[in-house]
Amino acid sequence: MKAIRILFVASLLAATLSCAERKPSTVGASSEVERRVDQLLSRMTLAEKIGQMNQVSAGGEVANYADALRKGQIGSILNEVDPVKVNEFQRICVEESRLGIPLLVGRDVIHGFHTVFPIPLGLASTFDPALVEEGARVAAVEATGQGVRWTFSPMLDIARDPRWGRIAEGSGEDTWLDARMAEAMVRGYQGDLSDATAMAACIKHFAGYGAAEGGRDYNSTFLTERQLRNVYLPPFEAAVKAGALTLMTSFNDNDGVPSTGNVFLVKDILRGEWGFDGLVVTDWNSMGEMIDHGFGTDRKDVARKSLEAGVDMDMMTYGYLSHLEELVHSGAVKESDIDQAVRNILRVKILLGLFENPYVDVEAGRAVQYAPEHLAAAQKTAEESAILLKNDGVLPLKADAVRNILVTGPMADAPHEQLGTWAFDGQAAHTVTPLKALQERFPGKVTYVQGLKNSRSRRERFDDVVAAARRADVVLVFLGEEAILSGEAHSLADLNLKGAQSDLLAALQAAGKPVVATVMAGRPLTIERDLPHCGALLYAFHPGTMGGPALVNLLFGDVNPSGKTPVTFLRTVGQAPLYYSHHMTGRPYNGETLLDEIPEEAGQTSLGNTSYYLDYGAYPLFPFGFGLSYTTFAYSGIALDREAYGTEDTVQVTFTLTNTGACAGTEVAQVYVRDLVGSITRPVKELKHFERVALEPGESRTLTVGIPVADLAFVGLDGVKKVEPGEFQLWVSGDSASGKPVSFEVK
Ligand code: GLC
């Protein structure tokens, strides 16, 4: 009896000590959760532990997986969204396996579930984290309503090369914007973890995946540690601090090391420095692909390397299930590492309440799909997302003045394509296209001539469309690229409008009627050659289910465009990569001579030796943070509360924003900062704050924004993240290329 009592006290002491030693949980796990994790783990066999680390894509019949489920060989499934099947999967686990551990059911809910929102690049264009959070919450309500409790979103990959198809899936080129969007989506998806609509977020792809050489998906990246820490990792750290429950490793090898086996990235930074105690899952077979990378000899080898790196769950390599038991028995891996992985998995399952409530209420879940308030949120997001890039005054159109609207172009009535990439569960039947929205709003006044079947269609003449244009009051042409032309594995080497789209636009303009172009795409296309052929151009990164009504409201002025570019628009693809927060270089471009201006027999050094392209210069077509409105805004009175600050201070910047136009509008005021001199060279400017400001015509508002000096910290030559004293400049403007700086000093 005494021995048992001693044992009990000892285990209690150990549990207490282990809790005391534990870092604060980034996923918000209490000591009670940890006790439950430890208690369950202590009852698990090695085989059952390894089973939890195995994730299977289970879109088929439940019976195919029943045996493995009963044996506890599957810890998570993805790609099952039939709630009845999900419940059957869970029932087998809960009622027929030895320990009754429920499954974690995952799905790529990337920008909405059934109700599809604009693609993430479009979400970022809103510069409205609160609205994006609301959309993520809608996605969680619909997805959990069908049994999904884990989404593989948000994607945080900084993308500065629009050739990369997955630029569609992230928040663009800027670290600050990306981090704010990441926090918003994590909060939106996860909400209150005690609620059945809580859906675990998965921040991905860790890390540096968007820097693929040549913009070619899955290609190698060569980011230095400083570049990782100063540009690519901060959004992930922000999302971890926001409580993200899970993270996914990326396909790419960075500087020769694939992320799924990267001890420095996962174990040292994510776990060691940030204390992340959530679940780390591989990308689809990214464990197995380390063999293709030449980083492992076989599945056993890459399974070992993944566990060593701190990866908890294996998506579709079956490396853990096939080899971990043998690796433990051979001493090649420690069971304690497996225990740690299983703790992370059980912790997420307990936090989501899956043990108490593993089943989905099928009827209640069905009732929330496509709810009116969901569609309204999607429409509002699409309205805020669209970016007005050109307007010679033709917009906004006057609804009471149009008698005959010609609608044309391959994206005018493309319900599937309008949803964009990674819209697995969006149903085209629910999409409202621009054509449908126009026909509904202007019955009998819309003529539709498709013009081109799709974006790649070729055509010599457009007689039918031109004839229709001549009879119309205004031509609305919808161009761009189908969903399939962006997203995973869909990189492009040429970013011009495909097929005969530019010819169609030119032909329409020649018809002599006002032409308004709307481009729907998954990336910033190179549209410089198209701009002269339209009076206005509205850019909508695939706007989702309610894109039609949103675009019509914008075109007719019911809503004033407020979107801003989350990524730089190039003049030509040859300029890639080009982004606003570049370094100055020793020879910054200063508008030097371009090809057409080069004199005869020009001397070798006569053109100015700076960093630019002779044929296209070094300025973009549209800079980051740019977007027009139907009104105009003016910034004035930009002033700082002091001339010098300490590293613990906050810079208070005051400015007045005036709506100098004739209609109400919303401006995204942006604050950029430049660190003039550092132990390493620094970007010419970096976004450090943005906010949407709605103003009535003629209205002025004076705002004061606090920029903590701590936000200017970076990892310098000594590898330590800190603010370096010196001279700084600060801009307040409506985009990254305008405004005059004010100066301040950090002592
Ligand atoms: C894909 C993607 C990843 C996605 C996963 C599951 O290959 O890279 O973003 O979440 O597989 O579908």
Side-chain angles (χ1 to χ4, degrees), residues 78 108 152 166 204-205 248 251 283-284 315 422 488:
L78 70 150
D108 290 283
F152 306 118
R166 299 196 82 167
K204 70 183 187 181
H205 305 79
M248 181 185 290
F251 286 126
D283 200 337
W284 186 287
M315 181 193 285
W422 286 106
E488 182 171 352

Side-chain angles (χ1 to χ4, degrees), residues 593-664:
T593 310
L594 291 179
L595 217 54
D596 302 343
E597 304 145 11
I598 296 177
E600 294 298 321
E601 297 177 12
Q604 169 66 30
T605 60
S606 66
L607 298 186
N609 303 284
T610 62
S611 180
Y612 77 114
Y613 302 97
L614 285 177
D615 46 4
Y616 279 88
Y619 297 143
L621 182 62
F622 298 109
F624 171 87
F626 175 83
L628 299 173
S629 167
Y630 293 147
T631 186
T632 50
F633 297 98
Y635 291 81
S636 60
I638 298 169
L640 306 181
D641 61 332
R642 291 158 51 179
E643 291 181 358
Y645 301 87
T647 55
E648 303 306 314
D649 291 336
T650 294
V651 178
Q652 298 294 340
V653 50
T654 299
F655 64 95
T656 296
L657 182 61
T658 301
N659 178 341
T660 50
C663 68

Side-chain angles (χ1 to χ4, degrees), residues 2 14 104 121 135 151 177 179 191 224 259 275 293 351 386 388 422 436 445 468 559 577 583 585 600 616 622 634:
K2 190 178 177 196
L104 190 49
L121 197 56
T151 177
L177 176 61
T224 64
S259 301
H293 274 289
L351 285 168
L388 183 61
W422 286 106
K436 294 290 183 293
K445 294 183 179 180
V559 174
H583 289 200
T585 77
E600 294 298 321
Y616 279 88
F622 298 109

Side-chain angles (χ1 to χ4, degrees), residues 78-397:
L78 70 150
N79 295 330
E80 180 49 71
V81 292
D82 174 343
V84 173
K85 282 188 176 179
V86 168
N87 280 344
E88 179 56 11
F89 272 113
Q90 291 289 28
R91 189 199 61 75
I92 296 171
C93 285
V94 171
E95 297 179 9
E96 299 180 16
S97 75
R98 187 175 77 87
L99 292 170
I101 300 173
L103 285 169
L104 190 49
V105 180
R107 178 71 163 176
D108 290 283
V109 184
I110 305 301
H111 50 106
F113 183 67
H114 278 146
T115 301
V116 178
F117 285 67
I119 57 173
L121 197 56
L123 298 177
S125 306
T126 67
F127 282 72
D128 190 344
L131 187 63
V132 169
E133 178 175 345
E134 185 187 331
R137 187 85 297 266
V138 165
V141 166
E142 290 193 354
T144 56
Q146 304 241 155
V148 174
R149 297 300 305 274
W150 184 17
T151 177
F152 306 118
S153 173
M155 193 258 233
L156 308 186
D157 300 301
I158 297 280
R160 295 173 163 180
D161 189 330
R163 293 175 291 179
W164 189 51
R166 299 196 82 167
I167 195 170
E169 252 184 283
S171 295
E173 70 184 53
D174 182 67
T175 300
W176 184 269
L177 176 61
D178 190 13
R180 304 295 75 80
M181 288 295 156
E183 292 161 343
M185 293 178 86
V186 167
R187 287 192 302 262
Y189 287 140
Q190 297 184 173
D192 172 355
L193 292 183
S194 66
D195 190 292
T197 65
M199 181 166 70
C202 183
I203 53 181
K204 70 183 187 181
H205 305 79
F206 195 67
Y209 179 38
E213 193 168 63
R216 202 168 70 247
D217 200 11
Y218 311 121
N219 203 7
S220 301
T221 60
F222 300 93
L223 297 170
T224 64
E225 179 181 342
R226 274 201 290 267
Q227 189 70 340
L228 274 171
R229 287 183 181 277
N230 288 330
V231 177
Y232 290 83
L233 295 185
F236 284 93
E237 188 174 9
V240 166
K241 286 178 179 168
L245 290 178
T246 77
L247 172 142
M248 181 185 290
T249 58
S250 59
F251 286 126
N252 58 299
D253 58 323
N254 186 59
D255 197 14
V257 183
S259 301
T260 304
N262 193 324
V263 173
F264 172 65
L265 260 187
V266 183
K267 187 155 278 185
D268 297 351
I269 293 183
L270 177 71
R271 303 282 194 195
E273 291 179 25
W274 301 350
F276 181 66
D277 60 344
L279 182 166
V280 173
V281 64
T282 73
D283 200 337
W284 186 287
N285 187 38
S286 63
M287 180 191 293
E289 290 178 6
M290 290 198 286
I291 301 165
D292 304 277
H293 274 289
F295 190 72
T297 50
D298 55 26
R299 245 182 1 170
K300 182 162 67 171
D301 188 29
V302 295
R304 178 179 58 78
K305 288 183 173 174
S306 303
L307 186 68
E308 272 172 9
V311 172
D312 304 317
M313 189 176 277
D314 162 15
M315 181 193 285
M316 290 304 286
T317 296
Y318 296 94
Y320 280 171
L321 192 69
S322 308
H323 299 290
L324 275 189
E325 194 151 356
E326 173 195 352
L327 285 165
V328 169
H329 295 321
S330 71
V333 305
K334 299 190 299 288
E335 185 165 356
S336 58
D337 286 345
I338 291 175
D339 289 349
Q340 191 50 49
V342 177
R343 278 198 182 89
N344 296 333
I345 295 167
L346 296 178
R347 186 175 298 119
V348 169
K349 291 187 175 185
I350 290 170
L351 285 168
L352 285 172
L354 287 173
F355 286 85
E356 292 74 26
N357 182 17
Y359 302 111
V360 57
D361 180 335
V362 177
E363 285 318 307
R366 190 168 291 135
V368 299
Q369 307 303 322
Y370 292 111
E373 62 271 24
H374 295 175
L375 296 171
Q379 179 170 327
K380 178 171 170 52
T381 307
E383 287 165 352
E384 287 196 13
S385 160
I387 305 163
L388 183 61
L389 293 177
K390 175 185 178 182
N391 184 20
D392 66 3
V394 66
L395 291 181
L397 299 171

